[in-house]
Amino acid sequence: MTAIVSHPVLHVLGLRKEFTIRARGHAGILTAVDGVDLSIAPGETVALVGESGSGKSTVARCLTRLIEPTAGSVQLDGRTLGGLGWKDMSRAYKDLQMVFQDPNSSLNPRMRIRDIIEEPMRLHLQLSAAARRERAEELIREVGLDPMHLDRYPRELSGGQRQRIGIARALAIDPKVIILDEPTSSLDVSVRGQILELLQRIQRERNVAYLFITHDLQVVRKIADRVLVMYLGLVVEEGTTEAVFSAPTHPYTRALLSAAPVAEYGAVKERFVLSGEIPSPVDLPRGCRLAGRCPLVQPQCRERQPPLLLVPQPVAAQPPATPGVLQQHVAACPPAIAAIEDNPALTAIPPTNRL
Amino acid sequence: MDRARPIAVRVAGSLAVILGVVTLTFVLARIVSPDPTNLYVSPQADLETRAAIRANLGLDKSIPAQYGQFLADLVRGRLGTSFSTGQPVTSDLTSRLPATFELATYAVIGGTLLGFAVGILSAVLRGSVLDKILRFLTVGGLAMPQFWIGLMLLWIFFVKMGLAPGPVGRLPIGVNPPPRITSFVVVDSLLTGRFGLARHAAAQLALPVVTLGIAVFAPIARTVRSAMIEALRADYIRTAIAMNIPKRTIWFRYAFKNVLLPVLTMLAGVIGFAFSGAVLVEGIFAWPGVGQYALDAIQQSDFPAIQGFVLYAAILYVVIYLILDLAYSSIDPRVRA
Amino acid sequence: MSTLQPARRRRRSTPLSVWLGAGIVAVMAVVSATTRLWAPYDPDTAGVGPPYAAPSRDYLFGTDRVGSDVFSRTLSAATTDFGITLSAVVIAFVIGTALGALAGFYGGILDTILMRLMEIVQAFPALLLAMLMVAAVGSGIVNVIVVVSILGIPNYVRLVRAEILSKKNWQFAEAAKVIGNRPSRVLFRHLLPNSMRPLIAFSSINASWVAIIVASLGFIGLGIEPGSAEWGSMISRGQDSILSGEWWISGFPGIALLLLSASFYLIGDGLSEDSPGSSVLSARLLRRARRGAATAMATAAAARPESTPAPDRILEVIGFSGGFAGPEGVRPVLHDVSFGLRRGVMTAIVGETGSGKTLSALSIVGLAPEGFIRTGGQLVFDGVDLLADEPASYGRVRGTRISLVFQDARGSLNPVFTVGNQLIDACRANRKVSRNEARAIAIAMLERVQIPEPERRMRQYPHEFSGGMAQRVMLALALISEPELLVLDEPTTGLDVTIQADVMKLIVDLVRTEGLTACLITHDLGVVAETCQDVVVMRDGRVRETGSCQQIFTNPQDPYTAALLAASRLVEAA
Ligand SMILES: Nc1ncnc2c1ncn2[C@@H]1O[C@H](COP(=O)(O)OP(=O)(O)OP(=O)(O)O)[C@@H](O)[C@H]1O
Ligand code: SF4
Ligand SMILES: [Mg+2]
């Protein structure tokens, strides 16, 4: 654990998920999440970034118990979740909600918007029908839609509107944490900005914590206080958004940052390129999982999985991103860190490479 | 069906299915005729004779013991003796199988070819008048009761027009069959140079083959059409068009191979149906095949005969589906182990 | 499927055949409930007329051996057959759906046992099992209903189980769980209602089959009490008379049975056919819309002034318009789209969902999805109007001179042929080379797109390639015909960011070294800024702005372009 959170609302230790998969007649073990630690303070946004297959969705699904984690402990607002039947889990959902990636398929096509928003209230709050109605109207205004939308069906709304409904549904029972799994990745860029601003406004007003899962670094930059970068089931770099973006250290983070194109004429970038293909998560290389693609690879990288090490600070220590949170900047790459120690100027990357 | 399972597991699963089928039949048969002694002796027979027969049949033992004995016999290939024919069930079945096979072979080949032709034509000309007519015929074929089609064909072609012979089996009454080579009467007649005989046999076959062929044709045509339409809409077909690949290659190579997959499953079901002796078709045309044998057996509570037939049908089913799995993996590289 | 999904899901129209079938079933239901009103004679009384009377005004369907009225009996039998069919279908539906839903949702041992049992039942020839069971439990209406519903259950179990399994991980089911629904509620309130359409379609087809099985049992004499009016046993009674020419005794009950069974079949068939273009209704719409468009175009063409395309442009799109067939003629989606592609230059078409960028690009090669109707415009490729004598004109340029790269590379390659086969086919369709030469070219091409071990890769199937590698194969396929113009439809969307950068770099390098003209369709302004020289900005089927890359990014003229730029630079905008 490299972030110290004084009163975490969500606290995850050693989360691990293995899938048994059957390929070519014999079973194999796929480690989708390989020991993730994570702690979030109330009202804070933590981003989980990585490419497809890095295990970020699996983390979200384990936290919401859509799948059973193989190992690890999860504490929600001080209570330990784990081995809960649906009754206890249902109570836990009162404080933990989720917004899904695909607004087209995350709303039941046969239910009216009103019923979709009122369903969580029905399950968790003792409210009269009139009170529920009123609350549904408040909620739909809060997410920037008109109450007349309440009587529509999902197919009658646009993608952006549907995602607002998804957010309203998650807010309906006033949870303390909302997990957002790529909430903007299937939306147009113009809608993306609106949804992010809506989420920020809601957070200011309600002090809800977000675990924000995305592969879009611009989104991370805009919305997150802290970032965890995942590659093939492992966190490879972690720090405040400021620290990770200004001094990306792990080669994977650097590649990710430099790969994202910038909508700026003449912004020709010096690319930090990873060659080759992402290895299969079924038979992972023994040492660093990036070794096969990494331009900085050293012989010892292939021997064992490098641990998360403190990244030397080039400038004065970062102020805490959120009150009550102490986040250090760490990366799982000894060669890169050694290089910085030798030459602190290395962390300064050209300005055009910054998002 | 889990096509990723290794062969050994699938074979074991198939054996389990066969065991299940014969067990279920055993149970049903015990309910149908708990005491089949009446089938052997006159109702006036005295108790001692009955007891002797029961002992002889093993019916004096407990049900589990009878079941055990029954399985043991089965494994040794002993299916018992038919009550009604007095012959071993095995020889009854083998003597009737050629008739069923001959009828089913022609019907399956003809129906499948026609089904493919109509399905592809319908799909390629989707929305046209011809497509509508063909679809209408297909639905008709699917919804028509077999036994009724047979009767109506008889009325039209035998009674009214006199084009087809009457329903008297594989050959006209009083005509001797050709020497057995393949057991297919038409083929054997041709092989031995008896062309007149071949014509007789073919005429006898015509109506039953058409009747059974409709039951093969209709589901195949429907499946081919919808699979072809789906394949023609796929992105890889768009790619092929974009790459200037000739239309014929696209239809008959690019789309066709993808169409085969869903059609094979349907074909397996249809073949199973035809080769297990289409009971009613054989009944109507007095066709001396296993289907009619089964029909008689049920009507006379002929327990060993029923049991033997069911075993045959189950093995047939299991073998067809095993072949289907193999065919699947040879066509679709995605399921190849 | 095509990337041109309309933003709002269209409601599936119900084909005419469904209404036809439903109409007949409804009429039969009414008739069978009120036979006494229609039957001229008592159906169960013999000797109401002479035996074997042919159909006449007195005896509409004739009489049988004992002189009963076939018409009255056919009507009366409708009650029996219809009633048995309906009851059996309802019972099988309820039990089969419940079992299938539980097996699919909870899985585990229940699922295994159930599936094995179902497999055993299905290994029996259906009719034979029905006969055996009826023989075991005895004949009679109730027994027949029970037996026939048992036979139907396995089909429902399989269907519902597959439906639930495929939808179990849909996001709305997961969402229902995360808001705290108990599992059974997720299943019955959220999952099952969304599986109803295929279920009802299947029930209908099942009803068709049940009606036939019931009659078959009657025909053999194993159905309800012999002698009572039932279509199967009526047909059986007339069986011998057929040979002596009295066809009506079996004929009419058979027709009634066929009508019932076919009607159920039509309903089920129509409901399970979910392609909007295939229903009778929309085929008619399409034709009408096409006719309207043709007249409009003829008038417009007469009025249009001759335009002379600029010589430095390989392709000129002039006033291109079109739309999809709707109830009121053509619903327009492209409005007067005009732009040109300069030779040897990479031009970007950018726009958000539904802006019409893919549709415009596909139209260039005449590959717009079915249902798209052109209402005007010209596509001038190298001085020739492609639309003047389509489809022949496309045959000359498509593949040979213009190639396409599609978004979903793995879906765009044929899954059952090796990559090598597809490359060789494409090569030989466009260049006069032997198979061996084509093979060598294909291998060289794979090398050019930086696929390691090209000879081994030639023998592999598309599913053995990762997304990035498949996109390289797609590129090789497009380039193997040595085209002049390369159209790329979102070539890197859906790939991982790091892979995306890699593939994009390859594309730019190839286009440059080959001196190709390229048209890149994308929604990502970042990619445009890095790779293209010219830009076309589209929105809602209209071209909003065209210009050089530098001008568009530094000095956008259209407010929409400016807004799009601002939205793409999320962080600065904040
Ligand atoms: N139910 C499952 N069975 C087997 N493997 C799975 C399952 N779910 C996920 N995986 C595997 O686990 C790994 C991590 O998957 P996950 O969906 O968490 O990735 P992700 O980072 O969210 O990717 P994306 O951006 O595509 O959503 C992948 O290799 C994936 O194939
Ligand atoms: S540990 Fe080695 S292989 Fe891994 S990222 Fe660092 S340098 Fe590359
Ligand atoms: Mg994901």
Side-chain angles (χ1 to χ4, degrees):
Chain A
M1 174 77 29
T2 49
I4 299 162
V5 178
S6 57
H7 296 286
V9 64
L10 183 69
H11 187 72
V12 181
L13 262 182
L15 188 70
R16 199 179 158 75
K17 176 68 193 175
E18 293 168 357
F19 292 105
T20 311
I21 54 158
R22 228 174 275 279
R24 285 159 201 278
H26 48 85
I29 299 282
L30 184 158
T31 310
V33 176
D34 196 0
V36 165
D37 301 338
L38 169 72
S39 207
I40 306 181
E44 172 184 49
T45 303
V46 173
L48 204 55
V49 285
E51 295 180 286
S52 88
S54 61
K56 18 185 228 314
S57 293
T58 308
V59 169
R61 292 160 56 80
C62 284
L63 294 182
T64 47
R65 284 302 153 94
L66 286 169
I67 49 178
E68 279 304 304
T70 311
S73 81
V74 179
Q75 283 186 354
L76 180 63
D77 206 18
R79 277 173 299 136
T80 303
L81 309 183
L84 298 180
W86 76 265
K87 263 204 176 110
D88 307 302
M89 203 50 220
S90 164
R91 234 167 280 138
Y93 287 138
K94 166 84 186 64
D95 289 327
L96 176 70
Q97 279 298 302
M98 181 155 171
V99 173
F100 292 82
Q101 170 170 2
D102 182 5
N104 299 326
S105 73
S106 62
L107 306 178
N108 187 337
R110 294 187 162 255
M111 282 167 78
R112 280 179 203 282
I113 302 301
R114 177 186 303 286
D115 299 321
I116 291 175
I117 296 182
E118 285 186 13
E119 192 177 19
M121 300 184 219
R122 233 172 261 190
L123 293 165
H124 295 281
L125 309 176
Q126 268 68 51
L127 289 180
S128 67
R132 279 203 304 264
R133 246 185 124 74
E134 198 173 313
R135 200 177 156 81
E137 286 179 13
E138 273 167 35
L139 280 165
I140 202 152
R141 281 202 202 93
E142 187 170 353
V143 296
L145 296 178
D146 191 288
M148 74 173 186
H149 288 113
L150 286 172
D151 292 312
R152 305 245 169 109
Y153 283 95
R155 65 167 176 275
E156 298 171 85
L157 305 184
S158 72
Q161 287 173 327
R162 282 182 220 167
Q163 199 55 295
R164 288 167 192 266
I165 301 298
I167 293 169
R169 170 173 62 189
L171 288 176
I173 44 175
D174 237 334
K176 299 202 167 87
V177 184
I178 300 183
I179 297 176
L180 302 114
D181 188 4
E182 307 253 16
T184 57
S185 69
S186 57
L187 303 176
D188 276 331
V189 278
S190 55
V191 184
R192 177 181 71 171
Q194 296 162 11
I195 295 286
L196 292 177
E197 262 148 44
L198 171 68
L199 287 171
Q200 287 181 315
R201 179 166 57 77
I202 289 169
Q203 188 170 56
R204 277 196 304 275
E205 287 167 5
R206 300 188 172 221
N207 202 39
V208 54
Y210 293 148
L211 176 62
F212 203 107
I213 294 172
T214 182
H215 65 267
D216 185 340
L217 293 165
Q218 287 209 58
V219 169
V220 176
R221 190 87 206 249
K222 181 171 165 72
I223 199 163
D225 299 308
R226 295 187 284 126
V227 197
L228 279 72
V229 181
M230 284 186 77
Y231 184 69
L232 286 174
L234 277 179
V235 174
V236 294
E237 183 157 359
E238 182 179 339
T240 59
T241 307
E242 189 51 37
V244 172
F245 276 76
S246 62
T249 302
H250 196 279
Y252 179 68
T253 316
R254 287 200 224 172
L256 212 53
L257 273 170
S258 83
V262 189
E264 208 75 67
Y265 183 71
V268 182
K269 297 214 282 189
E270 198 61 45
R271 281 259 146 83
F272 187 95
V273 183
L274 296 176
S275 55
E277 295 199 60
I278 302 171
S280 149
V282 184
D283 43 342
L284 285 170
R286 198 153 61 92
C288 175
R289 290 168 190 191
L290 197 64
R293 303 171 71 196
C294 178
L296 306 185
V297 61
Q298 305 286 319
Q300 67 270 26
C301 296
R302 301 189 193 273
E303 274 158 27
R304 61 185 189 90
Q305 174 55 47
L308 284 169
L309 300 176
L310 208 58
V311 175
Q313 298 294 325
V315 269
Q318 306 282 339
T322 322
V325 178
L326 180 65
Q327 171 75 61
Q328 285 165 326
H329 184 188
V330 290
C333 178
I337 288 175
I340 297 172
E341 277 162 355
D342 294 346
N343 178 8
L346 268 184
T347 55
I349 51 171
T352 49
N353 277 13
R354 297 186 185 168
L355 277 168
Chain B
M1 202 166 306
D2 184 4
R3 300 190 196 284
R5 276 185 292 170
I7 291 282
V9 176
R10 270 181 288 175
V11 171
S14 307
L15 290 178
V17 167
I18 293 178
L19 180 67
V21 167
V22 292
T23 306
L24 184 55
T25 323
F26 181 83
V27 173
L28 283 174
R30 286 296 124 152
I31 303 173
V32 180
S33 69
D35 185 3
T37 42
N38 278 336
L39 298 164
Y40 285 84
V41 291
S42 71
Q44 290 85 22
D46 57 41
L47 285 175
E48 258 163 56
T49 328
R50 285 174 175 267
I53 289 175
R54 293 174 63 89
N56 198 4
L57 289 175
L59 291 175
D60 54 343
K61 302 202 190 83
S62 68
I63 294 280
Q66 286 183 40
Y67 179 63
Q69 181 62 43
F70 161 73
L71 284 187
D73 283 347
L74 217 56
V75 171
R76 273 183 248 120
R78 277 196 244 140
L79 297 177
T81 306
S82 160
F83 298 154
S84 44
T85 65
Q87 302 288 319
V89 172
T90 335
S91 72
D92 271 354
L93 282 177
T94 41
S95 72
R96 281 167 173 82
L97 272 176
T100 294
F101 268 61
E102 185 171 31
L103 172 56
T105 304
Y106 299 134
V108 165
I109 292 175
T112 305
L113 290 181
L114 195 64
F116 266 99
V118 165
I120 291 178
L121 202 63
S122 240
V124 171
L125 301 176
R126 187 158 61 93
S128 70
V129 179
L130 184 64
D131 172 36
K132 273 176 210 148
I133 295 173
L134 292 175
R135 280 190 80 190
F136 187 78
L137 289 178
T138 310
V139 169
L142 281 161
M144 246 187 275
Q146 285 277 298
F147 54 96
W148 185 72
I149 304 186
L151 288 177
M152 289 300 117
L153 287 176
L154 268 177
W155 176 62
I156 296 172
F157 292 101
F158 170 56
V159 178
K160 277 280 164 196
M161 305 172 70
L163 287 176
V168 292
R170 302 177 84 182
L171 283 169
I173 295 166
V175 176
N176 289 325
R180 273 181 62 162
I181 304 171
T182 62
S183 297
F184 280 28
V185 178
V186 176
V187 178
D188 289 349
S189 313
L190 289 176
L191 287 178
T192 52
R194 297 166 206 216
F195 297 107
L197 195 58
R199 219 177 43 86
H200 275 307
Q204 288 299 130
L205 266 168
L207 290 186
V209 166
V210 170
T211 310
L212 189 55
I214 290 175
V216 176
F217 151 80
I220 299 278
R222 176 175 187 258
T223 315
V224 169
R225 179 180 181 273
S226 60
M228 188 80 182
I229 286 175
E230 200 186 311
L232 285 177
R233 282 208 195 125
D235 279 354
Y236 53 80
I237 295 296
R238 192 177 63 176
T239 309
I241 299 174
M243 282 323 294
N244 202 19
I245 308 278
K247 262 216 162 66
R248 233 171 260 170
T249 315
I250 291 180
W251 289 344
F252 296 111
R253 232 168 81 80
Y254 279 51
F256 188 73
K257 207 167 169 189
N258 287 284
V259 167
L260 272 184
L261 297 172
V263 175
L264 272 180
T265 310
M266 172 56 76
L267 193 61
V270 169
I271 290 178
F273 164 74
F275 280 83
S276 59
V279 173
L280 295 177
V281 181
E282 291 191 359
I284 284 167
F285 292 98
W287 201 258
V290 288
Q292 205 182 23
Y293 182 65
L295 185 58
D296 293 343
I298 287 180
Q299 279 168 340
Q300 295 163 17
S301 302
D302 187 346
F303 168 44
I306 294 175
Q307 194 59 261
F309 174 76
V310 167
L311 182 67
Y312 158 72
I315 291 174
L316 185 73
Y317 168 93
V318 159
V319 167
I320 288 174
Y321 277 86
L322 271 181
I323 295 174
L324 173 72
D325 275 5
L326 295 180
Y328 234 95
S329 54
S330 79
I331 292 176
D332 190 345
R334 287 163 293 188
V335 299
R336 213 167 279 165
Chain C
M1 286 275 91
S2 137
T3 48
L4 291 166
Q5 293 294 324
R8 289 170 196 195
R9 202 157 56 117
R10 227 184 311 163
R11 282 204 110 166
R12 285 185 275 190
S13 59
T14 308
L16 224 52
S17 57
V18 173
W19 294 117
L20 182 70
I24 301 177
V25 169
V27 169
M28 289 198 117
V30 170
V31 168
S32 65
T34 56
T35 41
R36 297 279 152 188
L37 294 180
W38 312 91
Y41 304 96
D42 179 43
D44 296 324
T45 309
V48 298
Y52 297 126
S56 66
R57 189 167 304 182
D58 287 339
Y59 307 101
L60 271 179
F61 291 177
T63 63
D64 62 12
R65 181 166 43 93
V66 295
S68 297
D69 179 42
V70 175
F71 180 62
S72 304
R73 282 181 70 79
T74 305
L75 281 184
S76 152
T79 319
T80 317
D81 282 84
F82 198 91
I84 294 180
T85 303
L86 223 55
S87 327
V89 169
V90 169
I91 293 173
F93 179 98
V94 172
I95 298 179
T97 303
L99 288 178
L102 295 176
F105 193 73
Y106 293 101
I109 187 89
L110 171 76
D111 187 33
T112 315
I113 293 176
L114 214 53
M115 290 323 283
R116 283 280 161 266
L117 270 180
M118 295 303 144
E119 212 170 311
I120 290 170
V121 172
Q122 296 202 316
F124 272 96
L127 182 58
L128 190 88
L129 185 56
M131 285 160 35
L132 261 179
M133 291 202 297
V134 174
V137 296
S139 54
I141 291 191
V142 175
N143 287 348
V144 169
I145 291 177
V146 169
V147 164
V148 180
S149 22
I150 290 177
L151 286 183
I153 288 174
N155 301 309
Y156 286 93
V157 173
R158 283 198 175 195
L159 179 75
V160 175
R161 177 178 177 272
E163 273 284 323
I164 296 293
L165 275 180
S166 75
K167 299 216 166 107
K168 189 155 100 174
N169 294 325
W170 276 25
Q171 288 188 355
F172 73 80
E174 300 201 328
K177 193 175 167 200
V178 170
I179 56 176
N181 278 301
R182 80 168 64 98
S184 58
R185 218 177 113 90
V186 174
L187 177 57
F188 288 107
R189 173 121 174 79
H190 290 270
L191 279 169
L192 262 187
N194 279 293
S195 302
M196 272 304 146
R197 191 175 164 121
L199 243 177
I200 288 175
F202 176 74
S203 304
S204 228
I205 289 182
N206 181 237
S208 160
W209 179 83
V210 166
I212 292 182
I213 289 283
V214 169
S216 303
L217 287 174
F219 182 77
I220 300 165
L222 279 172
I224 59 176
E225 301 81 47
S228 59
E230 189 280 329
W231 290 332
S233 56
M234 287 175 71
I235 296 173
S236 147
R237 232 198 229 192
Q239 188 179 356
D240 297 331
S241 317
I242 282 212
L243 298 184
S244 47
E246 289 97 15
W247 58 274
W248 54 88
I249 307 174
S250 297
F252 285 110
I255 291 173
L257 172 58
L258 173 60
L259 206 59
L260 180 67
S261 155
S263 307
F264 275 129
Y265 204 92
L266 280 180
I267 301 177
D269 195 44
L271 287 181
S272 51
E273 174 113 30
D274 58 5
S275 43
S278 64
S279 72
V280 184
L281 196 66
S282 58
R284 197 177 305 142
L285 278 182
L286 203 65
R287 233 175 298 127
R288 202 195 305 150
R290 228 174 244 148
R291 230 177 288 132
T295 12
M297 261 188 313
T299 355
R304 195 170 36 227
E306 273 303 304
S307 54
T308 37
D312 69 328
R313 296 186 166 180
I314 190 166
L315 182 88
E316 191 98 40
V317 179
I318 305 162
F320 193 81
S321 310
F324 287 94
E328 300 93 29
V330 179
R331 181 174 50 83
V333 287
L334 290 182
H335 308 266
D336 198 18
V337 173
S338 302
F339 61 86
L341 301 178
R342 288 194 291 147
R343 278 180 209 274
V345 160
M346 186 129 152
T347 304
I349 303 184
V350 284
E352 296 186 296
T353 317
S355 60
K357 46 191 196 307
T358 300
L359 201 52
S360 305
L362 292 180
S363 299
I364 294 177
V365 282
L367 280 180
E370 60 177 11
F372 179 79
I373 295 165
R374 189 163 48 83
T375 53
Q378 282 173 283
L379 294 172
V380 184
F381 179 75
D382 205 13
V384 183
D385 187 355
L386 289 178
L387 301 179
D389 68 331
E390 59 173 332
S393 50
Y394 286 125
R396 286 193 293 274
V397 299
R398 192 160 55 201
T400 6
R401 301 183 64 191
I402 309 178
S403 275
L404 268 91
V405 170
F406 297 101
Q407 171 175 347
D408 169 23
R410 256 183 297 188
S412 299
L413 295 169
N414 200 323
V416 297
F417 291 99
T418 61
V419 157
N421 248 324
Q422 296 182 57
L423 284 168
I424 292 170
D425 277 357
C427 184
R428 300 198 63 200
N430 298 293
R431 294 166 66 173
K432 289 202 173 8
V433 290
S434 72
R435 212 179 153 80
N436 277 334
E437 285 165 332
R439 228 189 106 71
I441 295 173
I443 292 174
M445 212 61 232
L446 285 183
E447 227 157 69
R448 281 264 290 292
V449 295
Q450 295 166 15
I451 289 181
E453 302 178 76
E455 303 202 17
R456 187 175 64 85
R457 290 300 218 164
M458 288 278 283
R459 290 192 299 273
Q460 291 188 326
Y461 291 88
H463 74 275
E464 297 171 78
F465 286 72
S466 68
M469 281 295 154
Q471 196 53 275
R472 286 167 199 269
V473 172
M474 192 71 225
L475 260 175
L477 191 72
L479 293 178
I480 204 162
S481 57
E482 303 189 308
E484 294 151 63
L485 171 61
L486 186 63
V487 180
L488 303 131
D489 185 10
E490 307 254 13
T492 58
T493 307
L495 299 180
D496 281 333
V497 196
T498 51
I499 307 279
Q500 217 169 16
D502 225 17
V503 172
M504 212 52 229
K505 182 171 176 306
L506 172 71
I507 291 175
V508 172
D509 288 348
L510 283 171
V511 166
R512 237 168 247 160
T513 53
E514 303 284 313
L516 294 176
T517 308
C519 175
L520 174 73
I521 295 150
T522 178
H523 64 267
D524 188 339
L525 281 169
V527 170
V528 176
E530 286 182 10
T531 55
C532 295
Q533 288 94 64
D534 289 354
V535 181
V536 178
V537 182
M538 288 190 71
R539 187 193 193 189
D540 292 340
R542 292 189 170 81
V543 172
R544 295 299 289 251
E545 184 168 7
T546 58
S548 74
C549 190
Q550 179 173 17
Q551 178 252 309
I552 295 279
F553 278 90
T554 54
N555 184 19
Q557 298 299 304
D558 191 272
Y560 174 70
T561 312
L564 201 58
L565 272 171
S568 306
R569 299 166 182 155
L570 196 53
V571 184
E572 282 87 336

